[in-house]
Amino acid sequence: MRLLVCFTVVLFLSMKVSAQEKPAMRKMQDTLKEITIHSQSVKPVLHSAREYVVDYDFVDGYILVASYSSPNRKDPKLFLLSKAGDTASLLYLPEAPDELFKSCAGQMYCVSSRAMYPLEVDTGNLSVRQAYDLSVFDQLKTCSFATQNQYYYKIADRQHFNILYAYRKKDDSVWHPGIGFDDAKTRDASNEEWGAVLALLAGGNPSGAAKQAGMRHLLNKNAYAYLDQPLFPENDKIRSFDFRSRQICTYDLDGRLMESVAMRFDFRNVQRMEVIKDPVTNEYYLHRSDNNAGQTLARIDLQTGALFVAIPIEKPFISKLKVFDSEIYYLFQNPAEPDVQQLYVQRGF
């Protein structure tokens, strides 16, 4: 039985990583290669150097920053900054923020551990409305995105390895199946492995069962990451980066496949990669963090499926990377200053 389990695990792993062990340096076009170049400029955005920045977003041409003063998370506040870092508006909060959230309808919220606060931005002035209970937050998060009065909701089933983005039109209660992703092979392999776990338990080998169950959990987590990729609305179409099929797909708003382009770049660990869209230029970027101390960002050529030259992220161990108007933003905490976390902008593309 152990030999059968080992063979199943090895076969399952080989199925996931085959064709992914090629060298990272490869020819992309006649004159285009996946290479890395060094940026020349990175600087903090917020002029106050002692803030712990929790989250940030872009609203009406401004940068919205949620922060507090450490230690003890005191003086919680929201900054509304120009791209140069000048403060257009400052708003103090009743409690420390945990994150910023934008709903499908475009409403911005500041979320704390106890409540969520609707925010209003009017010609550079920032204000907050009466707080909502966090139960409202759970409801709002079920909507993934909206485009042309169609609201798309993500229905995920981790156990059976399928994800469906169903939609309904505004002021309409009728639901329509939209775009779905399913991995039957992984589902069957996972069920086989679970049978092996039960057989080990029945045979009086709990330690072997625990080991097999742990391996199954890791394999399932990695396989689900291939499916669980965001969709990107673009006016009258929807873009998908399907790492399982290695295709960049374009759908109409009803979920019908319009075209697809093969990904012409190598990858190993999908859990250490993400696709990011610049909301101003509508360009797409691949953020790699295979090596957390040496992260890179490369623009994706949607016509060929290749990558343009990659830019290294100058700060190590960054988080919440975004691209806005071709510039790169992220949070960075200096290990020598645990009470401070800053928002940085890096010269981009």
Side-chain angles (χ1 to χ4, degrees):
M1 175 59 70
R2 290 195 181 190
L3 291 176
L4 176 60
V5 170
C6 291
F7 175 75
T8 301
V9 173
V10 171
L11 178 61
F12 189 64
L13 283 169
S14 64
M15 178 177 65
K16 288 178 170 51
V17 301
S18 61
Q20 296 180 15
E21 301 297 332
K22 299 176 182 178
M25 194 77 75
R26 56 177 289 185
K27 187 172 182 180
M28 293 299 179
Q29 295 178 353
D30 291 342
T31 59
L32 186 63
K33 292 184 178 180
E34 183 182 355
I35 60 174
T36 300
I37 60 176
H38 282 277
S39 180
Q40 299 177 350
S41 175
V42 57
K43 59 182 180 181
V45 176
L46 187 62
H47 292 167
S48 178
R50 302 306 305 171
E51 291 293 314
Y52 190 100
V53 177
V54 175
D55 204 354
Y56 70 100
D57 210 332
F58 303 95
V59 183
D60 295 342
Y62 293 93
I63 306 172
L64 179 64
V65 176
S67 72
Y68 53 78
S69 300
S70 286
N72 301 324
R73 296 163 63 95
K74 63 182 181 181
D75 296 331
K77 60 186 77 71
L78 293 172
F79 292 91
L80 195 64
L81 306 175
S82 69
K83 290 188 66 176
D86 299 322
T87 301
S89 184
L90 174 62
L91 179 68
Y92 284 90
L93 298 169
E95 55 186 322
D98 287 337
E99 64 177 296
L100 296 172
F101 173 77
K102 184 182 292 184
S103 72
C104 282
Q107 174 65 53
M108 182 66 70
Y109 298 87
C110 181
V111 184
S112 73
S113 60
R114 296 188 299 176
M116 59 185 302
Y117 300 86
L119 305 176
E120 296 292 339
V121 179
D122 183 14
T123 60
N125 293 315
L126 182 63
S127 60
V128 61
R129 301 205 308 263
Q130 184 175 356
Y132 293 151
D133 186 83
L134 284 180
S135 61
V136 178
F137 185 38
D138 294 333
Q139 297 173 22
L140 290 174
K141 286 190 296 184
T142 62
C143 183
S144 295
F145 62 90
T147 181
Q148 293 195 5
N149 292 324
Q150 290 187 190
Y151 292 80
Y152 292 79
Y153 294 78
K154 176 182 173 182
I155 305 169
D157 186 344
R158 297 182 68 96
Q159 181 178 356
H160 296 95
F161 295 92
N162 58 62
I163 294 176
L164 173 66
Y165 286 89
Y167 71 88
R168 63 176 180 83
K169 296 183 182 295
K170 186 178 181 180
D171 302 325
D172 190 352
S173 60
V174 178
W175 287 90
H176 306 271
I179 301 172
F181 303 93
D182 182 82
D183 190 348
K185 290 184 178 180
T186 295
R187 181 168 57 248
D188 293 343
S190 181
N191 289 337
E192 262 187 58
E193 291 159 6
W194 180 242
V197 172
L198 295 179
L200 288 168
L201 284 173
N205 186 359
S207 61
K211 184 176 180 179
Q212 174 66 22
M215 177 64 75
R216 175 177 178 265
H217 173 74
L218 291 176
L219 293 174
N220 287 353
K221 183 178 180 181
N222 186 61
Y224 189 77
Y226 279 78
L227 289 177
D228 193 19
Q229 298 296 324
L231 300 182
F232 299 91
E234 296 182 5
N235 296 322
D236 60 346
K237 58 188 176 183
I238 298 171
R239 191 88 62 180
S240 164
F241 293 82
D242 189 344
F243 287 105
R244 185 177 58 87
S245 65
R246 304 178 69 90
Q247 296 286 317
I248 302 173
C249 302
T250 305
Y251 301 88
D252 65 17
L253 296 184
D254 293 323
R256 291 184 291 263
L257 182 64
M258 298 169 60
E259 63 179 0
S260 63
V261 176
M263 294 179 180
R264 296 179 58 201
F265 52 87
D266 296 320
F267 52 87
R268 292 180 176 85
N269 189 348
V270 173
Q271 297 180 74
R272 303 296 300 275
M273 296 166 50
E274 62 176 337
V275 175
I276 295 173
K277 182 182 178 182
D278 185 331
V280 178
T281 66
N282 291 322
E283 299 283 0
Y284 290 88
Y285 299 88
L286 183 68
H287 173 212
R288 292 180 183 267
S289 55
D290 306 76
N291 176 3
N292 201 36
Q295 302 180 37
T296 61
L297 191 71
R299 186 159 62 90
I300 302 171
D301 187 338
L302 297 179
Q303 302 301 316
T304 67
L307 299 179
F308 289 97
V309 291
I311 289 180
I313 304 306
E314 299 292 343
K315 296 289 186 181
F317 310 111
I318 59 95
S319 63
K320 298 195 176 187
L321 185 146
K322 301 178 183 181
V323 181
F324 187 82
D325 199 12
S326 299
E327 292 190 310
I328 307 167
Y329 293 80
Y330 47 78
L331 300 182
F332 170 70
Q333 182 183 49
N334 189 331
E337 297 181 292
D339 294 333
V340 176
Q341 180 166 267
Q342 284 291 325
L343 171 62
Y344 283 85
V345 60
Q346 179 176 320
R347 182 177 299 166
F349 298 84

